Amino acid sequence: MLRTDKPHLTRDHLLWLLRQMVRIRRFEDKCAELYTQEKIRGFLHLYDGEEAIAVGVIPVLEERDRVVATYREHGHALVRGVPMNAVMAEMYGKVEGCSRGRGGSMHLFDRTTNFYGGNAIVGGGLPLSVGLALADHMRGEPHVTACFFGEGAVAEGEFHESLNLAALWRLPVLFVCENNLYAMGTALALSESETDIQRKAACYRISSEAVDGMDVVAVEAAARRAVAAIRGGGGPRFLECRTYRLRAHSMFDAQLYRERKEVEEWRSREPIVRFQGWLKENDIVHEADLASIEAEVAAEIAEAVAFAEAGAWERVEELTRFTYAEKPGEGAAHHAA
Amino acid sequence: MPPEPIPQTLETTYREAVREAIRDAMRRDPSVFLMGEDVGRYGGCYAVSKGLIAEFGPERIRDAPLSESGFTGAGIGAAMAGMRPIVELMTVNFSLLALDQILNTAATVRHMSGNQFGAPLVIRMATGAGRQLAAQHSHSLEGWYAHIPGIRVLAPATLEDARGMLWTALQEPDPVLIFENVMLYNMAGQLAAGAGAVDIERAAVRRQGRDLTLITYGGSLWKALDAAQALAADGIEADVIDLRTLRPLDDATIMASVRRTRRAVIVDEGWRSGSISAEIGMRIVEQAFWELDAPVGRVCSAEAPIPYARHLEMAALPQVPAIVRAAKATLGPT
């Protein structure tokens, strides 16, 4: 029998994990470049340094499980399987984007992969995840809802309300706290009386675990344990992934609140270089593998940029379309100019 | 022996009509459930859901902790995953604790996701003053909610609508908010034995008249009808429009009446400034200005928090004499 609660440390799987992290990193490097060219506008929150969390957790989920993410969710969308073309087109605001260009960077949605957004209200996704899980629970369906949020959300009332509800009703939610130590520019110690975040779950009788969020294998192992427990009917689980945001909060952040030295220290622990080094030391990957991953990813990104560039702007006549569901007989024709 | 004749109407109350609507929806659709504070074992803070937990059990008549944002958001999430929740919030004042979820998620998700997700839930809550519950339980904020694109806002004023709007609302693919005025729960009357779903698109003309149009909704409907009766004694005949739905507004019914009577007074238990009455007045000016014979009048709540003392609370609310005065003012000096 296949044990689902242990990572499969096959070469293929390890290479896959590496490829996903590289994919996210290079995609976002490209986004930052496109931002300076004003191809991408609005807020742009990069996941640089935190990739091991989405890559460690999301592949543990099944196809019909559900994902709720934050405004720093490009990586989650990509690893969940939202096509890079559709994500990049969304960044451009094109109608081919995964949210028709209405959401942008912060509001990636994808029904096909049960990706429930891109929520830009800190803490706002937690009640939603409780409800998604409540629906599955009431129908006796075996799905798990994974809810990602930063440690900043822990100060919100919705965090506490949601943990209580999920535990009270024994709902299948995996709460994943991406603790990157700063809520925008406010350090954890300046926003929380208890900085050991995972201990908060205990108040709600939720089993929790803290893990090195820059170690993709450790994250995956913890996620497998948690998801197996949830699917076994044990109610919610809480996973704190300790990580660091290596770039600014958004493109408008001068980073006055932290020392450059601190960032450099964390950079030396960053998940991709570290994982690559470990794979090489153990003779699992070779330079040729890394080169081929980089080449594949570069090709995928080039195609995504071309797709987004070639995309169309949604017609202004459709501005109010889908504010409400269309009734039969309404539709694009109704809105045609 | 011939079978006993089936009664044509039943004596009921607004509260019982809402309860029957919930019971009917729960029986017809297994994805419908009721969730809120004290809806189960306590029977609902206004006793609307009394007895339902015995019939449907605690999973479907789900008592929630005092976590308005949490359980409203949970209702939204459950709706996005295919359930049909009825979320009960004790009062509109408490709904402000859930406003983030209502506005930032429920109202936006369809548009923001490019029509991939919708939140087909119903959120019911009590609104309005008159029970001396003071400034944190008595406000009428349905007009605020009617400001928000992406949701529908209903205000049943009659037994038929209390009984019939819920099922129609549950068929909507988008979030629907239903505001039940607290002064109506005890209202008794006759309801057709076969009463069921009603439309939620159209305003209703509850009284026909030729001289002016009184436009109102919810608890103020009955005050407007009393005012119309008082006006009739003076030979003034008023059309009384029950809006029923505050978003989207039924402009056609409003304008058809105003174009005929050429005078309008809006009665709204919300505060005057920035109210639904202001919106309706402006629409009349935009669409029927040249047909008006008098400035549009308004009777609203005083611009103060609703106080506890009975005489002050009554003075804060639209009352029949003020409606009569406003109506007569549109007819000019006599």
Side-chain angles (χ1 to χ4, degrees), chain A residues 254-318:
Chain A
Q255 302 191 67
L256 303 173
Y257 49 85
R258 63 185 186 182
E259 299 294 330
R260 185 184 293 267
K261 188 162 162 287
E262 178 185 302
V263 182
E264 282 163 5
E265 277 169 20
W266 278 95
R267 178 63 79 184
S268 70
R269 286 187 253 169
E270 70 106 323
I272 295 177
V273 169
R274 190 167 136 196
F275 188 49
Q276 274 180 2
W278 181 81
L279 292 170
K280 282 202 276 192
E281 271 170 35
N282 289 280
D283 210 28
I284 297 166
V285 305
H286 308 98
E287 284 301 333
D289 298 316
L290 301 180
S292 94
I293 286 175
E294 292 288 355
E296 282 168 30
V297 166
E300 189 185 10
I301 292 168
E303 193 202 316
V305 171
F307 179 82
E309 287 282 346
W313 306 112
E314 186 169 20
R315 293 181 312 123
V316 172
E317 291 75 16
E318 301 207 348

Side-chain angles (χ1 to χ4, degrees), chain A residues 66 90 98-100 102-103 107 109-112 114-119 121 123-132 134-139 158 161-162 164-165 168-169 171 318-327, chain B residues 33 35 59-60 62-71 73-83 97 100-101 104-105 107 109-118 148-152 172-175 201 247-248:
Chain A
R66 309 174 194 275
E90 188 62 33
C98 60
S99 307
R100 293 177 71 89
R102 276 116 176 261
H107 303 297
F109 285 88
D110 185 49
R111 184 161 192 93
T112 310
N114 280 342
F115 194 81
Y116 288 85
N119 198 316
I121 306 297
L126 282 103
L128 198 67
S129 71
V130 169
L132 294 167
L134 177 62
D136 288 329
H137 170 79
M138 290 182 78
R139 290 188 296 237
E158 288 183 328
E161 294 187 11
S162 299
N164 183 49
L165 283 171
L168 189 67
W169 295 340
L171 302 179
E318 301 207 348
L319 171 64
T320 59
R321 198 178 172 200
F322 306 131
T323 303
Y324 297 91
E326 289 174 346
K327 307 253 150 108
Chain B
F33 67 102
M35 172 163 61
E59 281 276 305
R60 293 184 70 203
R62 183 170 286 265
D63 280 318
L66 298 156
S67 305
E68 285 82 359
S69 195
F71 70 76
I76 294 164
M80 287 172 72
M83 299 294 280
L97 294 162
D100 163 49
Q101 289 296 324
N104 285 318
T105 304
V109 71
R110 181 179 300 282
H111 190 268
M112 185 167 70
S113 71
N115 199 34
Q116 292 180 89
F117 295 104
I148 304 171
I151 61 176
R152 289 175 192 275
E172 282 292 322
D174 295 305
E201 305 284 327
R247 186 180 188 102

Side-chain angles (χ1 to χ4, degrees), chain A residues 62 81 117 180 193 218 232 236 238 242:
Chain A
E62 306 279 347
N180 66 21
S193 57
F238 189 97
R242 293 179 175 160

Side-chain angles (χ1 to χ4, degrees), chain B residues 287-301:
Chain B
Q287 297 175 47
F289 179 78
W290 301 108
E291 282 115 317
L292 290 176
D293 280 348
V296 174
R298 281 196 283 167
V299 183
C300 301
S301 282

Side-chain angles (χ1 to χ4, degrees), chain A residues 44-66:
Chain A
L44 179 68
H45 305 94
L46 302 179
Y47 200 45
D48 188 349
E50 307 182 39
E51 295 91 341
I53 303 169
V55 174
V57 173
I58 290 176
V60 172
L61 302 173
E62 306 279 347
E63 190 184 333
R64 294 192 61 196
D65 291 341
R66 309 174 194 275

Side-chain angles (χ1 to χ4, degrees), chain A residues 3-8 13 56-57 59-60 174 219-229 239:
Chain A
R3 287 285 303 272
T4 56
D5 56 345
K6 289 266 168 61
H8 311 303
H13 182 63
V57 173
V60 172
L174 174 61
V219 172
E220 185 189 321
R224 281 190 186 279
R225 285 189 291 274
V227 169
L239 185 59

Side-chain angles (χ1 to χ4, degrees), chain A residues 180-207:
Chain A
N180 66 21
L181 299 177
Y182 290 90
M184 218 163 109
T186 301
L188 181 59
L190 299 177
S191 66
E192 285 296 321
S193 57
E194 170 56 84
T195 56
D196 188 356
I197 301 289
Q198 59 119 6
R199 289 189 62 191
K200 293 171 192 286
C203 304
Y204 302 101
R205 297 176 176 269
I206 298 176
S207 297

